[in-house]
Amino acid sequence: MIALFDLDGTLTDPKTGITRSVQYALERLGRPVPEADALTWMIGPPLIAGFSELLGGPEDAPEAVRLYRERFSDVGLFENEVYAGIPALLARLRDEEVRLFVATSKPHVYARRIVEHFGLAPFFGEIYGSELDNRNTDKRDLIRHILAQEGFDPAGAVMIGDRKHDAIGARANGLAAIGVTWGYGSRQELQDAGVACLVDDPGELEAPIRDLTAAKPLRAAGA
């Protein structure tokens, strides 16, 4: 049994750090700066795509990402908190010998620091994220990379996340997807993306993870 977890909006609530860093980038670019609540839609999708949409085109998006990281890498990544119930869930899954991985569009150099900072690293076999040059920001590419690295059967794995990108990436690679509703994607967004089920509380995740992975026995890689 294998479970891939998104980070932002699934394991931790990064609203403060992400929105303040987006505001910092916009201010440095001399652009209008929306209130934090008007920027929560940028939590989850690839950052370069979010800035392209926010700025009305891709021209200034790379510089916006650079400015965002200028603040986020020192301050923003720790303006964050673990959702209640997540550590206990991860401990139960580990005790049941479910193999756990982080699969986030956030650069892995930041994701690793966040997961370690909040004491979650011991639960995970590996922490996977994108590269600073934007490789693997698309969840389809990231999950494909994880499958290549780990060699497990996607039929025995599930992706857990709060945005449509998690479900789209999972389905493109043959994994089931569970949508969680405490993050930043709507129930409709997740349903439209094809999640197998919706879960409203971390305490309710254990059963669907078990059901969606154990119901399909793993085959040896390459079999």
Side-chain angles (χ1 to χ4, degrees):
M1 296 186 289
I2 295 166
L4 310 183
F5 278 85
D6 178 44
L7 178 58
D8 293 341
T10 301
L11 296 175
T12 69
D13 183 353
K15 177 182 175 180
T16 299
I18 288 179
T19 57
R20 285 181 178 173
S21 298
V22 171
Q23 290 170 329
Y24 172 86
L26 294 174
E27 184 176 359
R28 292 290 303 276
L29 287 171
R31 297 295 192 98
V33 180
E35 294 297 321
D37 287 344
L39 294 170
T40 57
W41 63 270
M42 289 192 65
I43 300 173
L47 199 58
I48 191 76
F51 272 118
S52 293
E53 182 174 345
L54 186 63
L55 297 171
E59 295 80 8
D60 292 330
E63 178 63 7
V65 170
R66 187 191 70 79
L67 291 167
Y68 171 97
R69 289 174 176 166
E70 188 174 86
R71 182 186 187 278
F72 186 82
S73 62
D74 290 332
V75 179
L77 76 170
F78 298 135
E79 294 174 323
N80 199 344
E81 60 182 298
V82 178
Y83 286 110
I86 287 295
L89 167 70
L90 297 177
R92 291 194 302 271
L93 292 173
R94 180 184 60 185
D95 291 345
E96 291 187 19
E97 299 186 349
V98 180
R99 295 176 63 196
L100 304 176
F101 299 92
V102 172
T104 174
S105 294
K106 184 183 297 298
H108 63 82
V109 293
Y110 301 147
R112 187 174 300 278
R113 290 175 64 192
I114 293 166
V115 172
E116 290 176 349
H117 175 79
F118 289 109
L120 302 180
F123 296 115
F124 294 100
E126 188 55 84
I127 299 164
Y128 286 99
S130 64
E131 303 296 332
L132 291 172
D133 63 3
N134 296 317
R135 282 177 294 146
N136 291 334
T137 55
D138 189 308
K139 278 287 172 69
R140 292 169 292 190
D141 297 332
L142 178 65
I143 295 174
R144 188 177 304 117
H145 171 69
I146 295 171
L147 290 172
Q149 291 296 114
E150 299 294 337
F152 58 74
D153 183 350
V158 63
M159 176 75 211
I160 300 104
D162 69 312
R163 299 301 306 268
K164 65 182 180 181
H165 312 84
D166 302 305
I168 291 169
R171 295 182 65 199
N173 287 282
L175 282 73
I178 297 173
V180 302
T181 61
W182 56 83
Y184 290 92
S186 69
R187 300 178 74 88
Q188 191 64 53
E189 172 186 326
L190 292 164
Q191 289 171 333
D192 289 347
V195 296
C197 63
L198 292 172
V199 174
D200 298 321
D201 184 271
E204 300 170 2
L205 258 175
E206 190 175 355
I209 290 173
R210 184 173 56 246
D211 293 345
L212 289 168
T213 58
K216 300 174 182 178
L218 295 177
R219 299 189 300 271

